[in-house]
Amino acid sequence: MRVPVSWLREYVDLPAEVTGRDVAEKLIRAGLEVETVDQLGTDIAGPIVVGQVLGIEELTGFKKPIRYCQVTTGDEPRGIICGATNFAVGDKVVVSLPGAVLPGGFTISARKTYGHISNGMICSARELGLGEDHSGIMVLPPDVEVGADAIELLGLRDEVLDIAVTPDRGYALSLRGIARETAIAYDTELRDPALLDTPKPDGQGYEVRIEDPAGCDRFVARTVTGIDPNRPSPLWLRRRVQLAGMRPISLVVDVTNYVMLELGQPLHAYDRERLAGPIVVRRAWPGEWLVTLDGNKRDLDPEDLLITDDSGPIGLAGVMGGASAEIGESTRDVVIEAAHFDAITIAKASRRHKLSTEASRRFERGVDPELPAAAAERAAQLLVELGGGRVGSGTDIGVTEVAYERPGVTITIPWRHAGQVAGVAYPRETVVRRLEQIGCAVSGDDQITVTPPSWRPDLRDPNDLAEEVIRLEGYEKLPSVLPFAPPGRGYTHAQRLRRRVGTALAHAGYVEVLCYPFVGEQTWAALGIEENDPRRRTMRVLNPLSDEEPELRTTLLPGLLATARRNIGRGFGDLSLFEIGQVYFARGDRPVAAPRLPVDRGPTPEEIAELEAALPDQPRHVAVVLVGNREPAGWWGPARPVGWADAVEAARVVARAVGVELKVEQAQRAPWHPGRCAALLLDDEVVGYAGELHPRALARLHLPARVCAMELDLDALIRVSDGLVPAPRISTYPVATQDVALIVDKSVPAAEVEAALRDGAGELLEAIRLFDVYEGEQIGEGKKSLAYTLRFRAPDRTLTAEEVTEIRNAAAAEAARRTGATLRGA
């Protein structure tokens, strides 16, 4: 909500020295979210005045129309060159005289151009900072005084508060609501613009019927006739609508928007000549459709609340009107709609049709149900005053109001309740005064009975009232008390291990990111994941942020790959990213509806079990993505690009941090490359995959040709871990090193050979490292050579050469038995 301070001063007597920033500070202390204070016109300097065109000379011989105009600003006429053609002799315009400074620091001076001296400039709205219209000169109404200060006349200097209104404070989507908060903050009186003498229904108004009282409990119709369609909106009204963030259109539309901004009640005006029969408020019928004011044809849902006449739907209630009864350039007679609609009905319709409007935003947050009559009267007064219309007398000219009684809300609380909630002793007089300031009626002594005002539908229980007292007294006055931490509590076992994993990956050079947790069908297509893959059994969000990604993720890779793509697009080509986060798997073929738990008591064990049964499986995974070079180039040598082994090593980093050991086997799983994918096993159970991603998937994701990734079920690792990382065995005796080169079939994974060597070597093997892989004619077709370095050490003696050779041969023999390996060169 954008609130011009000059407009706010009409309802609240603010001291002259109070600035927009002062008001913003007060409102922030009262709990409103003032995001910015825009100071408009600070770079404008006069003289900028009203001028009148006395004569126009058309200059020829140029590529575009050029006019040499004689303009008076109350003194001697001056010549001004102008290229616009939308004004005539006698029109009043805005003239910037030499020495004036326009928005953007543009200084006006007398200069010779097109063979004449241009002694000033005739301004367009865009040049004055009044909008983006640069199509022609801004022509002023004929009643403005020549020579008047245009800066003041047009309100070029002002301050505008930009307020983010939370869903529970719908009243703040109006100048009336913000003015009430400002008056309370400055402890001054409010001039309520809604305090109008509203005429009673006279039986002469336009006929209205409400067939769905649950969706609309009040509808006021005011008919105004004889409006002059040639009268534009006055400058002050257009400027206020514009400062509030809306575009001036025509007098009737501007008046309805102005009243909505002023009072918070959305209005709609229908061309009476285009209406056929009575106005009826009802739900949509099957097969109905409506062309809304934005020109879109919308198929209607039976839950949609409509405004209709005998011709069919003429508006989507509370959201947008229909084109069939739209106000046109020749409209003289209008029917003003001021109604109160159900907030949930309007919110659902707005989301259903993906149509969020100024009206729907207000109805969704709650509009004062007592306001329609005052808003309709205010709009009628403005149309009579500014448009020359008339109300009353004649058929269908009058007031119609159809209303259904609404149950009132009364709250009884101890007057000390607010102080007990805040931990501050508020006097009874303070509690009553603060509640009355927001419009509540208060009675009673020790137990007070509070009736909230109609414009505060959010006040429903004692704590709502306590919050009002506390915020108006000032949150900054509440004492700061640190919560008491009971001894003996801290991180859980799982939390400690997850933190340990994150620290280990960070130490290994990875950067942690938090990714968007939603995916869509295009995600699975890009990754090449088949229809029957369990990862495609997703949970769909009922109200997603994006229709393209409405499902909860079952893998962390899409978010990490999207993050990598964004970073690459910004010039960061070498990436090592990781994320620890939850994934979500649906239970069964159909999701179970979660129960609605009561708020007046704690849930029972049965209710908790039912709630947990409705939740999806939510294991925590850890995943990494590597792009570019794992080791940069430098004086030490060339760069080393990432490879599948780096992804496997990332899994081992995680396993070491948790205190478990993973087994690595060759596997195939999308989106990994079928020949460069490793399955990660824990006690013969697959808990993750690592390797290089498939080039086709990378091409579809617009990523480089080589990207490696790893994903592990972290919860599965934590379940079997006691959290203890065994300390390495330290021996003071020297190490003995032996190399062994084995020839195996290409299909045999190196991890199987390594496992066989470990088992065959026994306890004296301290470490094993694969340092060479060779394929060539010397070892035969379909074969590969794997060369390992074996490190041996005994805890109690120095190993002899014979012992080391014997252990090496035993290891090679075990590899030969299990994998068919032969010693190279044997």
Side-chain angles (χ1 to χ4, degrees):
M1 178 68 190
R2 291 178 57 82
V3 180
V5 174
S6 61
W7 195 354
L8 189 62
R9 288 180 181 274
E10 283 199 5
Y11 312 128
V12 184
D13 286 326
L14 296 174
E17 67 275 9
V18 168
T19 66
R21 296 190 184 279
D22 297 332
V23 176
E25 184 178 348
K26 291 276 192 180
L27 294 179
I28 290 171
R29 288 183 179 179
L32 294 177
E33 298 180 15
V34 182
E35 294 189 330
T36 60
V37 180
D38 297 331
Q39 295 179 317
L40 308 179
T42 56
D43 55 348
I44 297 176
I48 303 175
V49 297
V50 175
Q52 186 170 22
V53 180
L54 302 179
I56 298 175
E57 178 187 352
E58 303 287 348
L59 303 182
T60 59
F62 300 101
K63 293 182 179 180
K64 60 181 181 180
I66 298 296
R67 308 168 109 191
Y68 184 57
C69 308
Q70 295 297 317
V71 181
T72 180
T73 58
D75 50 12
E76 293 295 324
R78 63 181 65 232
I80 299 177
I81 293 290
C82 184
T85 60
N86 67 314
F87 62 97
V89 172
D91 283 345
K92 294 181 179 178
V93 294
V94 179
V95 180
S96 295
L97 301 179
V101 180
L102 295 180
F106 182 61
T107 302
I108 304 301
S109 61
R111 60 191 181 92
K112 186 173 183 180
T113 179
Y114 296 103
H116 295 78
I117 297 296
S118 183
N119 198 12
M121 186 174 81
I122 306 175
C123 301
S124 68
R126 181 179 177 184
E127 290 162 343
L128 294 169
L130 295 176
E132 294 301 317
D133 186 7
H134 196 55
S135 59
I137 290 306
M138 184 177 185
V139 179
L140 302 176
D143 57 347
V144 298
E145 182 182 351
V146 174
D149 184 356
I151 295 177
E152 181 179 353
L153 176 69
L154 300 175
L156 297 182
R157 290 198 186 103
D158 208 338
E159 293 178 288
V160 180
L161 310 180
D162 194 349
I163 302 174
V165 179
T166 53
D168 62 328
R169 299 196 181 277
Y171 69 91
L173 285 171
S174 67
L175 266 293
R176 180 195 187 204
I178 300 300
R180 179 176 289 106
E181 293 290 333
T182 306
I184 295 172
Y186 282 92
D187 197 19
T188 186
E189 292 296 322
L190 168 71
R191 291 186 289 273
D192 191 345
L195 292 181
L196 301 173
D197 292 329
T198 57
K200 298 296 182 183
D202 54 11
Q204 299 295 320
Y206 203 92
E207 184 180 355
V208 175
R209 296 200 308 270
I210 298 177
E211 295 183 357
D212 191 333
C216 175
D217 56 23
R218 180 163 302 208
F219 195 109
V220 174
R222 291 294 306 272
T223 305
V224 182
T225 61
I227 301 170
D228 185 352
N230 297 318
R231 286 198 190 184
S233 302
L235 290 175
W236 63 266
L237 190 148
R238 278 187 281 170
R239 182 57 173 162
R240 285 185 172 178
V241 168
Q242 184 188 55
L243 288 177
M246 302 186 73
R247 181 172 60 90
I249 297 174
S250 65
L251 177 61
V252 174
V253 176
D254 293 348
V255 164
T256 58
N257 286 337
Y258 179 85
V259 174
M260 177 184 69
L261 294 168
E262 182 182 51
L263 302 182
Q265 169 67 53
L267 303 177
H268 189 72
Y270 301 95
D271 187 329
R272 198 179 75 160
E273 297 301 319
R274 297 187 178 187
L275 294 176
I279 291 175
V280 180
V281 185
R282 59 170 174 82
R283 301 283 174 166
W285 295 337
E288 280 192 306
W289 52 270
L290 170 68
V291 177
T292 47
L293 289 174
D294 58 3
N296 292 322
K297 179 181 178 182
R298 303 183 184 277
D299 295 323
L300 300 174
D301 186 274
E303 290 298 313
D304 289 336
L305 189 68
L306 303 180
I307 311 298
T308 68
D309 63 3
D310 290 346
S311 66
I314 58 173
L316 187 59
V319 181
M320 184 176 283
S324 61
E326 180 181 6
I327 300 297
E329 294 181 355
S330 60
T331 298
R332 300 181 60 85
D333 304 335
V334 300
V335 177
I336 301 170
E337 164 204 310
H340 183 259
F341 300 114
D342 175 61
I344 295 177
T345 300
I346 303 307
K348 288 183 176 180
S350 175
R351 286 157 178 74
R352 188 181 298 122
H353 294 281
K354 299 180 178 59
L355 187 60
S356 178
T357 62
E358 292 288 342
S360 68
R361 287 180 60 222
R362 285 164 172 80
F363 281 121
E364 289 173 19
R365 288 160 174 79
V367 172
D368 184 355
E370 303 297 329
L371 198 55
E377 173 64 16
R378 176 67 167 145
Q381 289 178 355
L382 288 172
L383 289 176
V384 170
E385 176 186 347
L386 305 177
R390 62 186 178 90
V391 294
S393 74
T395 306
D396 293 341
I397 304 177
V399 182
T400 301
E401 182 172 3
V402 180
Y404 293 85
E405 290 296 326
R406 294 171 54 89
V409 176
T410 300
I411 306 169
T412 301
I413 61 171
W415 66 263
R416 298 179 181 85
H417 180 70
Q420 292 170 346
V421 172
V424 176
Y426 296 125
R428 182 184 182 281
E429 295 73 16
T430 298
V431 173
V432 173
R433 177 172 62 88
R434 291 304 189 185
L435 293 177
E436 289 178 343
Q437 281 181 324
I438 63 173
C440 295
V442 184
S443 61
D445 296 320
D446 191 50
Q447 292 278 343
I448 58 174
T449 300
V450 182
T451 303
S454 58
W455 57 81
R456 291 300 301 272
D458 58 305
L459 302 181
R460 286 292 179 266
D461 63 52
N463 288 328
D464 293 333
L465 301 179
E467 180 186 4
E468 293 301 302
V469 174
I470 295 168
R471 75 176 182 88
L472 295 178
E473 280 296 296
Y475 290 121
E476 71 278 4
K477 297 179 182 178
L478 298 181
S480 298
V481 180
L482 291 175
F484 173 73
R489 297 186 183 181
Y491 292 117
T492 64
H493 171 70
Q495 287 172 332
R496 286 196 299 270
L497 291 182
R498 286 197 294 269
R499 289 171 66 87
R500 191 187 296 173
V501 167
T503 302
L505 286 171
H507 286 170
Y510 291 85
V511 177
E512 185 173 14
V513 294
L514 297 176
C515 299
Y516 192 62
F518 302 106
V519 295
E521 284 297 322
Q522 73 278 5
T523 303
W524 311 122
L527 294 177
I529 296 177
E530 301 293 337
E531 288 283 348
N532 58 353
D533 193 292
R535 286 171 291 177
R536 298 194 68 162
R537 291 181 55 195
T538 56
M539 299 284 291
R540 186 180 181 88
V541 180
L542 292 178
N543 187 22
L545 295 176
S546 167
D547 289 338
E548 295 181 354
E549 295 176 314
E551 302 165 354
L552 288 168
R553 65 188 179 187
T554 55
T555 169
L556 301 181
L557 292 183
L560 283 169
L561 294 171
T563 302
R565 183 173 61 249
R566 283 193 297 272
N567 279 271
I568 291 170
R570 288 161 175 78
F572 300 98
D574 299 333
L575 300 169
S576 299
L577 308 176
F578 83 95
E579 181 181 14
I580 299 174
Q582 287 178 303
V583 295
Y584 308 86
F585 293 95
R587 294 181 180 177
D589 296 331
R590 297 182 61 186
V592 180
R596 290 184 176 271
L597 300 180
V599 296
D600 57 344
R601 61 172 175 80
T604 64
E606 292 76 14
E607 289 171 335
I608 293 176
E610 186 180 358
L611 180 64
E612 290 179 346
L615 297 175
D617 290 326
Q618 305 174 60
R620 273 188 172 82
H621 282 198
V622 56
V624 305
V625 162
L626 300 107
V627 186
N629 294 322
R630 184 62 176 149
E631 297 176 3
W635 56 264
W636 52 84
R640 183 179 71 80
V642 299
W644 61 267
D646 294 308
V648 174
E649 179 58 25
R652 291 194 171 114
V653 169
V654 173
R656 286 194 295 268
V658 176
V660 298
E661 187 173 348
L662 293 174
K663 182 180 177 182
V664 180
E665 290 184 355
Q666 188 175 8
Q668 292 189 10
R669 182 176 176 84
W672 281 274
H673 190 293
R676 300 170 187 172
C677 174
L680 308 170
L681 291 84
L682 179 66
D683 297 334
D684 297 326
E685 177 188 356
V686 177
V687 292
Y689 294 87
E692 186 176 320
L693 298 184
H694 201 292
R696 283 200 294 269
L698 297 175
R700 287 190 288 262
L701 293 169
H702 305 290
L703 287 167
R706 174 171 290 183
V707 175
C708 297
M710 178 278 294
E711 184 166 9
L712 272 172
D713 184 344
L714 184 55
D715 281 356
L717 273 59
I718 292 174
R719 278 195 298 270
V720 300
S721 171
D722 57 9
L724 299 177
V725 179
R729 184 174 57 190
I730 299 175
S731 173
T732 60
Y733 292 92
V735 66
T737 303
Q738 287 273 340
D739 291 342
V740 60
L742 302 173
I743 298 175
V744 295
D745 291 338
K746 283 186 177 181
S747 60
V748 176
E752 290 186 14
V753 178
E754 180 180 324
L757 290 172
R758 285 181 180 277
D759 293 342
E763 295 181 355
L764 296 180
L765 178 67
E766 184 180 79
I768 182 171
R769 182 175 68 88
L770 176 66
F771 68 87
D772 184 58
V773 179
Y774 174 75
E775 297 177 11
E777 296 180 357
Q778 297 179 10
I779 59 173
E781 186 177 354
K783 301 288 185 177
K784 63 182 177 182
S785 171
L786 303 176
Y788 294 88
T789 294
L790 308 179
R791 288 167 53 92
F792 304 100
R793 195 192 313 253
D796 55 353
R797 68 188 188 281
T798 299
L799 294 174
T800 64
E802 291 77 12
E803 285 181 294
V804 173
T805 301
E806 184 180 348
I807 297 170
R808 170 187 177 276
N809 292 338
E814 181 65 16
R817 187 183 68 81
R818 286 164 52 173
T819 67
T822 60
L823 283 171
R824 184 175 176 182

